[in-house]
């Protein structure tokens, strides 16, 4: 995993967390949960967090913010992938500054540091979420150049709901193979996710490069019926600080025939397969996104046992805004 350099200005230091910081990070996670009125959801442990940050297979990274020698905030993040733009990025799971230390530029320094990391690693975006009632955070993120997508909702399956979803049929779903890419590109282009172009740097070709090879950014799965690919999605690991467990994020679930009726079985099979993978890999949750205006999709997600998190909004910094954030 790349080493995160230390950033320091006067009394403020932003540095990569070390194994000795694990109790501090978990304490800040609990403080964040209390602020968000979700302390009852924190069930993780120091041992699990240490393994996921610093074990043989780390799932995430963390930054510590110190002011005057005291730990006053943290950020936890992991790798992200956007199918639509075929761009890898960073996903900021949590950013928190102790209330008594706000107004000192700590949050801004953490975000700037993450923007620098994204650019230095050759990544195209920084993504995170925010509670819709947290107006101070929303205003702060907008000042930092973030777009906030008010029409997108997070869907989540955890616990018994995840187990029940995994028990559904996924007989027609399998990992994508190299020979599937013409059909995958045609499906994504037909659904308007990828533009129809044949240039060497096309979105489809970038996606194939990113999702193939020895160290792909994400995994592609397809649904196949009668020898034809009728659905696709990609998945990658995310992370839950409250559970101190990795999760599985399912992105851009496409079914070819449009969502209603005929494609319900295909979509259900893709989600069931993803839930099976999540449980097999020891994940604590399965997540995806849905448009708040797509009531038919929302109803189907709820039929699958997924909760629609109506109070979360997605934030994103990309392109010129990401460069400005890094250089601020």
């Amino acid at each position: 995993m790349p080493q995160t350099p230390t950033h320091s200005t006067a009394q403020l230091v932003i540095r990569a967390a070390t194994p000795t910081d694990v109790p501090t990070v978990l304490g800040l996670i609990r403080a964040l949960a209390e602020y968000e009125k979700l302390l009852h959801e924190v069930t993780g442990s120091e041992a699990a967090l240490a393994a996921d940050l610093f074990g043989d297979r780390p799932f995430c990274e963390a930054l510590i913010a110190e002011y005057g020698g005291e730990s006053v905030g943290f950020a936890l993040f992991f790798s992200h992938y956007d199918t639509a733009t075929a761009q890898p990025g960073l996903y900021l799971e949590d950013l928190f500054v102790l209330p008594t230390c706000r107004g000192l530029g700590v949050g801004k320094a953490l975000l700037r540091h993450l923007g620098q990391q994204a650019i230095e690693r050759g990544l195209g975006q920084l993504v995170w979420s925010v509670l819709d009632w947290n107006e101070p955070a929303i205003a702060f993120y907008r000042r930092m150049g973030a777009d906030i997508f008010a029409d997108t909702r997070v869907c989540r399956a955890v616990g018994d709901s995840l187990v029940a979803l995994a028990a559904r049929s996924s007989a027609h779903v399998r990992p994508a193979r190299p020979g599937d890419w013409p059909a995958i590109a045609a499906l994504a282009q037909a659904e308007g996710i990828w533009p129809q172009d044949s240039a060497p740097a096309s979105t489809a070709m970038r996606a194939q490069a990113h999702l193939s090879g020895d160290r792909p950014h994400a995994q592609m799965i397809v649904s196949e019926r009668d020898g034809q690919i009728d659905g696709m999605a990609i998945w990658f690991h995310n992370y839950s600080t409250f559970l101190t467990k990795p999760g599985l994020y399912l992105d851009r679930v496409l079914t070819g025939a449009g969502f209603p009726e005929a494609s319900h079985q295909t979509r259900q099979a893709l989600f069931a397969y993803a839930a099976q993978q999540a449980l097999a890999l020891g994940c604590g949750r399965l997540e995806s996104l849905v448009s708040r205006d797509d009531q038919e999709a929302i109803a189907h997600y709820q039929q699958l046992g997924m909760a629609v998190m109506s109070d979360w909004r997605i934030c994103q910094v990309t392109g010129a805004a990401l460069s400005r954030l890094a250089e601020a």
Side-chain angles (χ1 to χ4, degrees):
M1 182 173 292
Q3 293 297 310
T4 306
T6 298
H7 173 76
S8 177
T9 55
Q11 297 186 71
L12 176 60
V13 174
I14 306 296
R15 61 172 177 82
T18 67
T20 59
D21 293 314
V22 168
T24 297
V25 174
L26 189 57
L28 289 166
I29 289 170
R30 292 183 180 280
L32 167 63
E34 186 172 13
Y35 176 74
E36 293 181 344
K37 306 177 181 64
L38 297 172
L39 187 57
H40 60 284
E41 294 187 7
V42 180
T43 59
S45 67
E46 289 183 12
L49 184 60
D52 292 336
L53 280 169
F54 305 109
D56 293 337
R57 189 189 177 190
F59 289 100
C60 51
E61 301 175 65
L63 298 174
I64 297 289
E66 294 179 339
Y67 195 88
E70 298 292 329
S71 297
V72 299
F74 84 110
L76 186 139
F77 60 101
F78 47 81
S79 297
H80 174 80
Y81 193 80
D82 179 27
T83 309
T85 60
Q87 279 195 110
L90 293 180
Y91 192 98
L92 172 60
E93 176 67 13
D94 284 333
L95 184 150
F96 181 70
V97 178
L98 292 174
T100 54
C101 298
R102 291 172 189 171
L104 300 175
V106 179
K108 183 182 293 185
L110 284 166
L111 269 181
R112 178 190 175 213
H113 202 79
L114 287 165
Q116 291 171 343
Q117 284 297 295
I119 289 176
E120 289 171 7
R121 298 180 190 191
L123 307 177
Q125 56 189 330
L126 175 63
V127 185
W128 65 96
S129 59
V130 63
L131 284 160
D132 63 355
W133 54 259
N134 195 349
E135 291 296 339
I138 290 172
F140 167 65
Y141 293 146
R142 284 188 170 134
R143 290 196 302 271
M144 298 298 287
D147 292 319
I148 298 177
F149 301 107
D151 295 333
T152 303
R153 298 292 181 268
V154 176
C155 301
R156 179 180 295 166
V158 297
D160 292 342
S161 296
L162 181 61
V163 173
L165 181 54
R168 292 176 178 260
S169 174
S170 63
H172 302 288
V173 179
R174 59 170 174 79
R177 297 189 287 257
D180 296 328
W181 275 96
I184 289 170
L187 177 58
Q189 289 167 351
E191 293 295 299
I193 301 300
W194 293 341
Q196 297 195 25
D197 61 68
S198 57
S202 70
T203 307
M205 294 184 71
R206 288 201 312 274
Q208 184 175 3
H210 290 155
L211 303 178
S212 304
D214 295 333
R215 298 187 66 183
H217 289 282
Q219 307 290 326
M220 175 76 76
I221 58 175
V222 298
S223 172
E224 183 179 42
R225 296 175 188 271
D226 301 322
Q228 300 292 321
I229 290 177
D230 68 340
M232 58 174 268
I234 74 158
W235 68 263
F236 53 85
H237 281 296
N238 60 15
Y239 194 78
S240 168
T241 49
F242 288 6
L243 299 175
T244 59
K245 280 187 176 183
L248 193 148
Y249 180 84
L250 199 60
D251 187 49
R252 300 287 176 177
V253 182
L254 304 181
T255 56
F259 190 84
E261 305 301 335
S263 61
H264 279 206
Q265 290 184 348
T266 297
R267 186 173 294 258
Q268 175 183 298
L270 288 164
F271 271 94
Y273 183 91
Q276 292 159 13
Q277 294 299 302
L279 292 179
L281 293 167
C283 297
R285 68 186 186 190
L286 172 66
E287 290 188 322
S288 190
L289 296 179
V290 65
S291 169
R292 72 171 183 177
D293 298 324
D294 193 344
Q295 293 302 312
E296 192 148 20
I298 288 173
H300 191 234
Y301 285 127
Q302 291 172 334
Q303 289 170 13
L304 296 178
M306 301 187 75
V308 179
M309 318 297 287
S310 60
D311 52 352
W312 287 97
R313 305 291 177 268
I314 301 299
C315 309
Q316 177 177 285
V317 179
T318 187
L322 182 60
S323 297
R324 288 193 296 270
L325 173 63
E327 296 168 359

